[in-house]
């Protein structure tokens, strides 16, 4: 069973994206639905096994290009399905959305 409800994704999960780092997501199993493709590391991909997750993070540290690959989504258009699902939320920075409101 999942350690958290199926669709509980908190706004703080996206702070890493705005800060320019790769988030390590430990939350709900549908977390990947909320992130651009290959923009985060998901604990669920490692069976929520923290030793395996930690080994993967160390592997990324030892392979800087693989870590940088996790930022490649920034240079490509978002997949149409993702952009359609999230609309303006993914096209405008959070601070700008607040100003527009």
């Amino acid at each position: 069973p999942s350690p958290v409800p199926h669709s509980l994704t908190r706004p703080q999960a996206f702070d890493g994206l705005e800060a320019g780092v790769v988030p390590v997501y430990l939350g709900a199993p549908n977390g990947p639905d909320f992130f651009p493709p290959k923009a985060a590391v998901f604990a669920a991909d490692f069976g929520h096994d923290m030793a395996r997750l930690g080994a993967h993070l160390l592997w990324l540290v030892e392979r800087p290009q693989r870590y940088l690959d996790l930022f490649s989504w920034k240079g490509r258009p978002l997949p149409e399905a993702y952009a359609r699902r999230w609309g303006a939320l993914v096209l405008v920075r959070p601070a700008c959305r607040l100003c527009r409101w």
Side-chain angles (χ1 to χ4, degrees):
S2 173
V4 294
H6 176 70
S7 62
L8 177 65
T9 302
R10 299 178 189 277
Q12 296 86 348
F14 311 103
D15 290 347
L17 293 177
E18 189 171 6
V21 299
V22 174
V24 176
Y25 184 78
L26 305 173
N30 69 334
D33 294 344
F34 297 91
F35 288 87
K38 299 181 181 169
V41 174
F42 298 97
D45 292 344
F46 302 92
H48 289 277
D49 179 326
M50 294 302 113
R52 288 180 54 214
L53 174 61
H56 178 70
L57 296 175
L58 289 173
W59 182 85
L60 287 172
V61 167
E62 295 168 356
R63 292 162 184 82
Q65 187 55 51
R66 294 293 186 161
Y67 177 76
L68 293 174
D69 288 345
L70 294 169
F71 294 97
S72 64
W73 65 272
K74 291 182 173 189
R76 293 188 300 247
L78 290 171
E80 186 178 325
Y82 184 88
R84 194 171 46 248
R85 180 176 188 174
W86 300 109
L89 292 177
V90 298
L91 301 175
V92 179
R93 294 184 62 227
C96 294
R97 286 196 312 270
L98 181 61
C99 292
R100 289 179 184 180
W101 186 74

